[in-house]
């Protein structure tokens, strides 16, 4: 079945450092790709998405580009802030059925940004 | 004004017991989900409901029984709890993807950490 692999954490950076979290996927067809973020004590929330090859999703300074040739969707941010400390989940949409969407998630990468 | 709320936040119980986790959303969404995050942090879908109708039912033991009294609520009842049921359970909701109102991301609750001893 479809699967998502993302880099093992935890990742610890200093404020204003460059961030990359790698994500690769295995899927039949051309799924939509997502990054979700979970801040401490909260539920997951959508950070950005891309629905087809070469699409770039962006939000809050984060970017990720849908690369079909490398089956990747790496998350990047040029200058992280302490407030970016969270767990980041890469995901793909496996299928939709009856109005529902089945998301397949990676394991999550915990990011800690120090001042 | 929490969008997706689930209770309890923590649940500690013994093997063999029956327990329930409740979920409510005030977003007016038609679709609700239960996801399980295991000890290795994998987050996997268990069930989805659309307007009280079961849509997605992944390979889940029949000890797990979701119940949706109305489209704003989706509760999860677990019978005869086992050690392997220990996990964090997340409820989520979204608009019906067929509604024509554009893409609707999933909105998650804060999770219920279940520990079976």
């Amino acid at each position: 079945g479809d699967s998502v692999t993302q880099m093992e954490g935890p990742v610890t950076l200093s404020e204003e450092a460059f961030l990359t979290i790698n994500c690769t996927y295995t899927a039949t067809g051309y799924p939509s790709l997502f990054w979700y973020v979970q801040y401490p004590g909260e539920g997951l929330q959508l950070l950005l998405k891309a629905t087809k090859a070469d699409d770039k999703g962006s939000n809050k300074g984060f970017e990720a580009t849908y690369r079909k040739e490398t089956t990747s969707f790496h998350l990047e941010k040029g200058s992280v802030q302490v407030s970016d400390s969270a767990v980041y989940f890469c995901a793909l949409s496996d299928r939709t059925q009856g109005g529902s969407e089945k998301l397949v998630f990676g394991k999550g990468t915990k990011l800690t940004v120090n001042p | 004004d929490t969008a997706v709320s689930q209770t309890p936040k923590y649940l500690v119980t013994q093997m063999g017991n029956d327990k329930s986790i409740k979920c409510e959303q005030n977003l007016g969404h038609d679709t609700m989900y239960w996801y399980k995050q295991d000890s290795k942090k994998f987050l996997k879908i268990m069930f989805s409901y659309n307007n009280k109708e079961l849509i997605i039912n992944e390979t889940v033991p029949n000890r797990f029984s979701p119940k949706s009294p109305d489209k704003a609520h989706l509760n999860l009842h677990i019978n005869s709890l086992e050690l392997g049921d220990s996990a964090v359970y997340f409820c989520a909701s979204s608009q019906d993807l067929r509604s024509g109102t554009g893409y609707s991301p999933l909105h998650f609750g804060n999770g219920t950490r279940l520990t079976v001893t």
Side-chain angles (χ1 to χ4, degrees):
Chain A
D2 294 357
S3 65
V4 174
T5 303
Q6 60 182 104
M7 62 187 287
E8 294 282 338
V11 174
T12 302
L13 296 173
S14 297
E15 206 165 22
E16 298 184 3
F18 184 85
L19 168 71
T20 299
I21 301 178
N22 291 336
C23 171
T24 57
Y25 67 91
T26 302
T28 52
Y30 304 102
S32 295
L33 301 174
F34 308 87
W35 278 100
Y36 273 77
V37 59
Q38 184 181 24
Y39 297 105
E42 299 182 11
L44 284 76
Q45 56 186 277
L46 180 66
L47 179 61
L48 54 85
K49 69 178 179 72
T51 56
K52 61 184 188 297
D54 300 326
D55 266 4
K56 177 185 283 188
S58 61
N59 186 25
K60 298 182 181 180
F62 291 89
E63 293 183 340
T65 301
Y66 191 142
R67 301 287 188 200
K68 188 176 72 172
E69 63 277 11
T70 54
T71 62
S72 65
F73 193 55
H74 305 320
L75 182 68
E76 296 182 336
K77 186 174 185 181
S79 176
V80 293
Q81 306 300 312
V82 172
S83 57
D84 294 327
S85 297
V87 181
Y88 292 82
F89 292 88
C90 185
L92 64 80
S93 178
D94 187 14
R95 70 175 190 269
T96 61
Q97 179 181 344
S100 299
E101 180 170 44
K102 180 185 173 185
L103 293 182
V104 175
F105 286 89
K107 289 175 65 172
T109 302
K110 183 176 182 180
L111 170 67
T112 301
V113 180
N114 295 318
Chain B
D1 59 345
T2 304
V4 180
S5 59
Q6 44 183 119
T7 56
K9 187 174 181 178
Y10 300 98
L11 184 53
V12 181
T13 189
Q14 293 183 329
M15 286 175 55
N17 285 348
D18 303 337
K19 291 293 179 184
S20 293
I21 305 172
K22 296 185 176 181
C23 179
E24 175 182 6
Q25 55 93 5
N26 63 5
L27 296 167
H29 288 163
D30 299 304
T31 306
M32 296 186 72
Y33 307 78
W34 278 109
Y35 276 79
K36 177 182 179 181
Q37 186 177 41
D38 62 23
S39 58
K40 297 183 179 179
K41 304 301 183 185
F42 279 109
L43 195 61
K44 295 182 181 178
I45 191 170
M46 301 174 69
F47 304 101
S48 78
Y49 269 73
N50 185 290
N51 203 13
K52 303 191 297 177
E53 178 186 357
L54 179 65
I55 302 297
I56 293 175
N57 185 352
E58 293 294 286
T59 308
V60 178
N62 58 16
R63 297 182 294 104
F64 290 78
S65 53
K67 287 186 171 50
S68 181
D70 56 62
K71 74 174 191 177
H73 296 83
L74 181 62
N75 304 322
L76 183 64
H77 189 76
I78 315 170
N79 289 327
S80 303
L81 278 156
E82 300 177 357
L83 292 176
D85 297 332
S86 296
V88 181
Y89 292 85
F90 287 95
C91 178
S93 72
S94 70
Q95 194 55 275
D96 189 322
L97 295 178
R98 302 165 299 184
S99 65
T101 57
Y103 181 72
S104 172
L106 270 64
H107 294 252
F108 283 82
N110 290 356
T112 295
R113 182 174 294 279
L114 171 64
T115 302
V116 182
T117 62

